[in-house]
Amino acid sequence: QKEVEQDPGPLSVPEGAIVSLNCTYSNSAFQYFMWYRQYSRKGPELLMYTYSSGNKEDGRFTAQVDKSSKYISLFIRDSQPSDSATYLCAMTYGGATNKLIFGTGTLLAVQP
Amino acid sequence: GAVVSQHPSWVICKSGTSVKIECRSLDFQATTMFWYRQFPKQSLMLMATSNEGSKATHEQGVEKDKFLINHASLTLSTLTVTSAHPEDSSFYICSAGSITGGGEQFFGPGTRLTVL
């Protein structure tokens, strides 16, 4: 069993839809949770960063962490074609010296 | 803030030559940087953890003498692919986290290596 599970998609939605992306994990020691967006042939871009459980909102993006269920989500409201990319969840035990554990990434296509 | 740069952005070399890739944190200090490689349509694969002032830690299956890492300062890490072969052709990406931050890491734009 992988430490972090993520549906690879692809996920295709019409423009304006609400997108829900999810990851599950097995290690209860993870404390920091991140979502990255990666366009083709580019480095990942940090979208959302959450410490422990709870919700965080930034513009059209909302990240949720449920540590009791070992489940994290990223919601994208009013999706745009420019949101088409691969979305990677990542988590770590804590601190900048600890390596990230990634999900496989979900490929999202927002159709105009 | 939190910008990581890589140089070069792409490189083509002949088989048997060595290639050096630089990773810099431009506006923060990082005691630890990470090197990944990524094949098309696949997720990131961690190659090694680069520690400032000490030896790097390579992941299982990654040859430390082939993928040399030097972390010369709190803002610079280099990856040297020695005696490169066509199978080393890939997208190499580095990441770093601020020593004053939490667990988040910031990624460079990546370096595309093609070995002929």
Side-chain angles (χ1 to χ4, degrees):
Chain A
Q1 182 189 5
K2 291 182 180 179
E3 280 193 283
V4 179
E5 299 278 359
Q6 183 177 7
D7 187 337
L11 178 63
S12 182
V13 300
E15 183 175 356
I18 296 175
V19 176
S20 173
L21 303 167
N22 311 293
C23 288
T24 59
Y25 62 95
S26 57
N27 193 330
S28 58
F30 288 136
Q31 293 286 341
Y32 297 86
F33 304 89
M34 284 143 275
W35 285 95
Y36 289 88
R37 176 174 64 193
Q38 186 178 25
Y39 293 111
S40 181
R41 300 183 176 228
K42 301 289 185 183
E45 171 194 3
L46 180 63
L47 279 178
M48 301 292 284
Y49 164 69
T50 310
Y51 170 69
S52 195
S53 283
N55 295 354
K56 188 173 185 178
E57 186 174 325
D58 184 1
R60 296 186 295 112
F61 299 93
T62 299
Q64 290 184 350
V65 175
D66 182 348
K67 289 193 70 179
S68 62
S69 300
K70 298 188 182 69
Y71 188 87
I72 69 171
S73 300
L74 177 70
F75 298 96
I76 306 174
R77 290 183 298 281
D78 188 25
S79 56
Q80 302 295 309
S82 58
D83 294 327
S84 299
T86 296
Y87 289 80
L88 296 149
C89 66
M91 48 201 78
T92 184
Y93 306 107
T97 59
N98 289 280
K99 63 183 180 182
L100 295 179
I101 309 299
F102 283 94
T104 53
T106 299
L107 179 61
L108 171 67
V110 181
Q111 307 297 332
Chain B
V3 178
V4 176
S5 71
Q6 278 185 245
H7 178 80
S9 56
W10 58 272
V11 58
I12 301 173
C13 69
K14 292 182 179 180
S15 185
T17 61
S18 294
V19 175
K20 180 185 285 187
I21 302 170
E22 290 187 350
C23 176
R24 292 182 186 271
S25 55
L26 297 185
D27 50 3
F28 65 96
Q29 294 183 324
T31 55
T32 303
M33 293 183 175
F34 301 88
W35 287 96
Y36 299 82
R37 66 187 297 181
Q38 187 176 36
F39 293 106
K41 299 186 178 181
Q42 294 187 23
S43 191
L44 300 159
M45 185 192 83
L46 180 65
M47 298 175 65
T49 301
S50 170
N51 301 298
E52 188 267 339
S54 64
K55 286 184 178 180
T57 303
H58 290 70
E59 294 295 301
Q60 189 174 8
V62 178
E63 298 177 57
K64 62 180 176 62
D65 294 328
K66 179 167 181 62
F67 298 99
L68 299 176
I69 290 173
N70 181 267
H71 197 138
S73 73
L74 289 173
T75 59
L76 173 64
S77 175
T78 60
L79 167 68
T80 302
V81 182
T82 62
S83 186
H85 288 93
E87 57 266 31
D88 298 322
S89 299
S90 189
F91 193 50
Y92 292 87
I93 314 174
C94 69
S95 74
S98 170
I99 58 177
T100 59
E104 73 272 39
Q105 292 185 23
F106 304 94
F107 283 81
T111 297
R112 183 157 305 280
L113 169 63
T114 301
V115 184
L116 302 177

